[in-house]
Amino acid sequence: QVQLVESGGGLVQAGGSLSVSCAASGLIFSINDMGWYRQAPGKQRELVAVISIGGVTNSADSVKGRFTISRENGKNTVYLQMNSLKPEDTAVYYCYARVRSRRYENFVAVWGQGTPVTVSS
């Protein structure tokens, strides 16, 4: 079993900054991509940013230049630094990782429980 535990998030005023982190634990042989998705009330879950094991990143156009994703492979942890936050960034942010638990197994998608981020205007 693999668990993703998120921390951070909360309430911030527009223009402010927040960071969230996510640590993977359990039976882990290797982790491929890690990233963040978000889901606002009444909307579908959408990609925020993803980072490969080699550090290659991809992010949604709506957060480019404001959000930065990073990871520490040795700690199985991914981070999301969010700057210049806008009310439309309000959502539950979910951590995501593709994990291989044993050497010859396939990678499996694992999700965190979600952490709320609220940006007030």
Side-chain angles (χ1 to χ4, degrees), residues 4 7 9 12-13 17 21 28-29 38-40 47 55 57 67-68 71 79 81-82 87-88 95 97 102 105 113:
L4 299 182
S7 60
V12 66
Q13 288 189 333
S17 298
S21 62
I28 298 171
F29 179 77
R38 67 186 181 187
Q39 187 166 18
L47 171 72
T57 63
F67 291 11
T68 301
R71 66 189 281 178
Y79 308 92
Q81 175 65 41
M82 301 178 285
E88 51 264 43
C95 177
R102 294 180 178 85
E105 290 184 350
Q113 78 283 1

Side-chain angles (χ1 to χ4, degrees), residues 80-98:
L80 185 68
Q81 175 65 41
M82 301 178 285
N83 299 327
S84 302
L85 282 159
K86 305 175 181 179
E88 51 264 43
D89 294 318
T90 295
V92 177
Y93 283 68
Y94 295 91
C95 177
Y96 158 86
R98 293 182 64 230

Side-chain angles (χ1 to χ4, degrees), residues 3-10 17-25 34-37 48-49 51 67-72 75-82 92-97 111-117:
Q3 296 85 35
L4 299 182
V5 179
E6 297 130 337
S7 60
S17 298
L18 276 177
S19 63
V20 289
S21 62
C22 170
S25 63
M34 300 186 80
W36 294 91
Y37 283 69
V48 177
I51 183 168
F67 291 11
T68 301
I69 188 170
S70 60
R71 66 189 281 178
E72 286 188 77
K75 295 183 177 181
N76 292 331
T77 300
V78 62
Y79 308 92
L80 185 68
Q81 175 65 41
M82 301 178 285
V92 177
Y93 283 68
Y94 295 91
C95 177
Y96 158 86
W111 292 89
Q113 78 283 1
T115 184
V117 171

